[in-house]
């Protein structure tokens, strides 16, 4: 509502009580009265979506006329005051320009009788597809074929009827909008903004195929990272089970099965967190090595590397979750019955042996160092997780974001590696650390992170850094350059 108009509340109080259309005027041919106030929006269909949309439209200062096949069958009070319920044709005639098709796409063909009346109007398709990758043409494209004289716009399909009702200004949700008619699209973008949504122009109507599939996708970017994390967990847990439980049981009849629910989970979780964190930084190194080897950044990375680079945020967050669970499990270790029995037994043995002081200075340092590195590493990881939230990340400029994600990320990886090394201490050099020739799990978990850290150090060598920086600023080695772009003689281009 522009500044010259009355405030929204006054408009709603006065105008919403004024019927848009005379409710007792059943003649289809009777012209619909034009009332002062917001523009009149038409909605075909009187179902859930239509009802929620009309509530939101009315609350945002629009007038609404709903078109039903049989208005007399629609229960009284289903729609809010200010919404006129009419026949489909009357609703189309009553709408100033925008008409929503809130019926299922299977029923679009029943609307062809309205073709002439819809000519020149903006027809908004809100439908979703029923299955993924199953259609050649989207519902919106089919609707555009049925109504060639109307401008079809795809919008609002990602918003549920429930979300539409959730308060007039409650929407921070993005609404992708596409159409082949830019004026009509601009009109629906504007309308969407007034309803409190964040419209995103996703282009022409052909984009509607993706837009229609969007509500059916199930965490599309999380599948791979979750699977990798789960497989890593299975590997470490299984390895620990074989090494610490199964083989000692078969070999010596030792009963270590009580370790299964807590101790072994708490051994596998930090290993998974560490390896997953290394997997966040490994593709960046691989990309740098490829660019250095190719001498250009203008050759595409292989698909697997592209996909991996795009999933770094998810891998980082999963690493954070595993590390967080490890913290919780570790805090609960002392609450175990087994812990108190072990402590009592140790104390009893010590008393029996006449040992008065069991203080071992080296072990004190070891435990303090590994706890301190772990806490610091987890703190930095938490900071990384917070900055990966769009609302926080968007507040950072590019340099700040790179510093946090790369600089602090490597700091978190280094601290986590140190935490693991201090935890292992000299244990890796003792023969009893290799029962059945199987190395301790922390050694396995350290392999990939150490490779990443060493790789990062190598890439930090000035000769490599400077060449990589040049490549990333568009420089290409001689074998990639066109003759006209070759360096003049004497210029040290290709290192
Ligand atoms: P609905 O509750 O079943 O309502 C559909 C309406 O279409 C009915 O009330 C009916 O209105 C009309 N209709 C039914 N059969 C018809 C036929 N044979 N010919 C013509 N019209 C017929 O469905 P809805 O949930 O509102 O969904 C409507 C559209 O919105 C769908 O395309 C859906 O994909 C989309 N959508 C829905 C949601 C949601 O949360 N519900 C979210 C996003 C998108 P009359 O009897 O008054 O004619």
């Amino acid at each position: 509502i522009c500044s010259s108009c009355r405030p929204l509340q006054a408009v709603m109080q006065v105008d919403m009580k004024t019927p848009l259309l005379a409710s007792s005027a059943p003649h289809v041919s009777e012209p619909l009265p034009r009332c002062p106030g917001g523009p009149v929006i038409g909605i075909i269909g009187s179902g859930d979506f239509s009802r929620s949309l009309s509530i939101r439209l009315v609350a945002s200062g629009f007038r609404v006329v709903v078109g039903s096949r049989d208005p007399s069958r629609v229960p009284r009070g289903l729609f809010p005051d200010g919404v006129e319920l009419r026949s489909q044709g009357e609703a189309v005639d009553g709408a100033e320009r925008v008409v929503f098709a809130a019926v299922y796409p299977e029923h679009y063909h029943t609307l062809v009788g309205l073709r002439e009346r819809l000519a020149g109007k903006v027809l908004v398709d809100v439908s979703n597809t029923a299955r993924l990758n199953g259609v050649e043409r989207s519902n919106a494209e089919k609707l555009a074929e049925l109504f060639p004289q109307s401008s079809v716009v795809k919008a609002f399909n990602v918003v549920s009827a429930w979300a539409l009702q959730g308060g007039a200004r409650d929407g921070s949700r993005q609404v992708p909008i596409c159409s082949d008619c830019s004026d009509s699209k601009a009109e629906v973008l504007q309308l969407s903004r007034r309803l409190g949504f964040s419209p995103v122009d996703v282009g022409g109507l052909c984009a509607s195929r993706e837009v229609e599939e969007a509500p059916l996708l199930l965490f599309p970017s999380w599948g791979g990272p979750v699977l990798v994390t789960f497989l890593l967990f299975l590997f470490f847990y299984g390895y620990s089970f074989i090494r610490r439980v199964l083989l000692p049981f078969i070999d010596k009849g030792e009963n270590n099965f009580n370790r299964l629910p807590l101790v072994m989970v708490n051994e596998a979780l930090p290993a998974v967190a560490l390896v997953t964190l290394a997997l966040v930084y490994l593709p960046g190194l691989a990309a740098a090595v490829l660019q250095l080897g190719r001498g250009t950044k203008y050759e595409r990375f292989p698909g697997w590397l592209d996909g991996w680079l795009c999933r770094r945020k998810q891998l980082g967050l999963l690493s954070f979750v595993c590390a967080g669970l490890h913290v919780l499990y570790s805090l609960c270790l002392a609450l175990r019955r087994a812990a108190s029995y072990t402590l009592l037994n140790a104390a009893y043995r010590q008393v029996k042996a006449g040992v008065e002081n069991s203080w071992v200075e080296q072990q004190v340092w070891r435990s303090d160092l590994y706890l301190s590195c772990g806490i610091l590493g987890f703190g930095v990881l938490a900071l990384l997780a917070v900055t990966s939230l769009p609302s926080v990340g968007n507040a950072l400029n590019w340099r700040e974001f790179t510093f946090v994600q790369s600089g602090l990320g490597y700091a978190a990886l280094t601290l986590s590696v140190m935490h693991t090394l201090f935890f292992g201490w000299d244990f890796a050099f003792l023969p009893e650390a290799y029962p059945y020739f199987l190395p301790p799990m922390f050694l396995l978990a350290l392999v990939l992170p150490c490779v990443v850290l060493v790789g990062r150090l190598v890439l930090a060598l000035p000769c490599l850094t400077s060449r990589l920086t040049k490549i990333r600023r568009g420089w290409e080695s001689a074998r990639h350059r066109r003759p006209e772009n070759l360096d003049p003689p004497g210029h040290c281009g290709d290192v």
Side-chain angles (χ1 to χ4, degrees):
I1 295 172
C2 66
S3 55
S4 59
C5 297
R6 286 162 292 171
L8 175 63
Q9 274 192 334
V11 172
M12 285 177 65
Q13 276 168 9
V14 179
D15 293 340
M16 294 308 159
K17 284 180 185 148
T18 317
L20 270 178
L21 317 161
S23 55
S24 59
H27 308 296
V28 175
S29 54
E30 196 176 314
L32 299 168
R34 297 272 171 211
C35 301
V40 183
I41 306 291
I43 307 176
I44 302 174
S46 62
D48 294 337
F49 193 86
S50 167
R51 180 171 173 271
S52 304
L53 179 65
S54 61
I55 291 173
R56 187 81 171 229
L57 282 167
V58 167
S60 303
F62 291 94
R63 295 157 179 282
V64 180
V65 52
V66 170
S68 168
R69 288 167 302 165
D70 185 359
S72 64
R73 282 184 55 200
V74 179
R76 276 182 166 274
L78 184 69
F79 286 88
D81 288 351
V83 173
E84 289 293 318
L85 196 60
R86 284 302 189 92
S87 71
Q88 291 178 334
E90 283 177 309
V92 172
D93 291 344
E96 275 167 36
R97 218 170 117 70
V98 179
V99 178
F100 284 83
V103 300
Y104 279 99
E106 301 88 287
H107 303 139
Y108 282 170
H109 67 277
T110 65
L111 307 178
V112 286
L114 303 169
R115 195 178 274 158
E116 298 303 320
R117 298 167 105 156
L118 276 166
K121 301 216 166 170
V122 179
L123 188 54
V124 185
D125 173 69
V126 299
S127 67
N128 286 313
T129 184
R131 58 204 162 99
L132 288 171
N133 305 319
V135 286
E136 278 175 19
R137 281 176 310 137
S138 65
N139 299 331
E141 286 170 309
K142 288 180 195 159
L143 193 67
E145 270 179 24
L146 284 175
F147 297 92
Q149 293 153 289
S150 312
S151 339
V152 172
V153 178
K154 179 94 215 172
F156 293 104
N157 65 305
V158 296
V159 186
S160 70
W162 180 82
L164 268 169
Q165 281 190 51
R169 296 286 161 189
D170 188 28
S172 59
R173 296 194 51 177
Q174 288 192 342
V175 175
I177 295 176
C178 60
S179 174
D180 289 337
C181 171
S182 49
D183 285 350
S184 306
K185 187 163 57 179
E187 217 162 314
V188 180
L189 282 164
Q190 174 74 2
L191 176 103
S192 158
R193 238 173 256 124
R194 277 190 63 179
L195 294 188
F197 291 101
S198 310
V200 182
D201 182 347
V202 290
L205 206 58
C206 59
S208 58
R209 289 171 215 170
E210 255 178 52
V211 174
E212 279 174 14
E213 286 188 352
L216 290 188
L217 300 172
L218 184 70
F219 302 115
S221 52
W222 284 86
V226 168
L227 183 69
V228 168
T229 311
F230 180 67
L231 290 178
L232 279 172
F233 182 82
L234 273 189
F235 169 74
F236 283 114
Y237 190 84
Y239 183 81
S240 177
F241 174 72
I242 293 170
R243 182 173 173 273
R244 303 283 292 265
V245 179
L246 191 64
L247 291 178
F249 178 71
I250 295 170
D251 188 26
K252 302 176 222 160
E254 257 179 44
N255 179 5
N256 291 330
F257 287 93
N258 59 57
R259 301 176 66 87
L260 290 178
L262 201 139
V263 177
M264 273 171 45
V265 175
N266 194 34
E267 280 172 2
L269 279 172
V272 178
L274 191 55
V275 177
T276 318
L277 190 58
L279 289 177
V280 174
Y281 295 98
L282 192 59
L285 292 183
V289 170
L290 264 183
Q291 287 179 335
L292 280 171
R294 289 169 169 177
T296 178
K297 70 166 187 175
Y298 296 113
E299 258 179 57
R300 285 196 64 80
F301 294 135
W304 60 267
L305 186 55
D306 247 347
W308 193 355
L309 285 164
C310 294
R311 299 289 179 270
R312 286 179 293 179
K313 173 178 158 178
Q314 287 79 357
L315 284 167
L317 285 173
L318 287 168
S319 167
F320 172 66
V321 169
C322 291
L325 287 174
H326 170 54
V327 170
L328 280 180
Y329 269 92
S330 302
L331 289 175
C332 293
L333 279 180
L335 302 178
R336 298 171 66 230
R337 270 265 162 237
S340 51
Y341 292 148
T342 313
L343 193 67
L344 280 173
N345 290 345
Y348 178 74
R349 276 199 303 273
Q350 207 169 300
V351 171
K352 239 177 132 186
V355 180
E356 277 189 11
N357 186 359
S358 55
W359 184 277
V360 182
E361 185 71 14
Q362 200 195 43
Q363 289 304 317
V364 171
W365 274 96
R366 173 200 164 226
S367 69
D368 282 12
L369 283 171
Y370 95 74
L371 284 176
S372 182
C373 288
I375 292 166
L376 286 174
F378 183 68
V380 178
L381 208 54
L383 207 63
L384 284 171
V386 170
T387 51
S388 73
L389 296 173
S391 51
V392 180
N394 291 345
L396 304 176
N397 66 27
W398 176 243
R399 195 159 175 213
E400 289 162 348
F401 187 76
T402 318
F403 167 74
V404 172
Q405 291 300 325
S406 180
L408 288 189
Y410 272 105
L413 186 64
T414 310
L415 284 165
S416 308
V417 166
M418 285 168 64
H419 169 66
T420 316
L421 285 172
F422 283 127
F423 169 80
W425 205 243
D426 58 352
F427 189 61
F429 306 108
L430 305 177
E432 58 264 34
Y434 299 83
Y436 315 103
F437 305 105
L438 294 173
M441 200 160 66
F442 75 87
L443 272 190
L444 297 187
L446 276 173
V447 174
L448 208 57
C450 288
V451 168
V452 170
L453 289 179
V454 171
R456 186 72 198 90
L457 282 177
V458 172
L459 283 177
L461 292 174
C463 56
L464 293 180
T465 309
S466 65
R467 185 178 162 99
L468 197 59
T469 310
K470 274 199 303 178
I471 289 172
R472 288 183 175 168
R473 291 177 72 90
W475 177 88
E476 289 183 287
S477 67
R479 70 193 149 102
H480 290 284
R481 273 175 288 174
R482 275 167 260 137
E484 65 269 22
N485 291 341
L486 278 173
D487 293 324
H491 187 278
C492 59
D494 205 352
V495 184

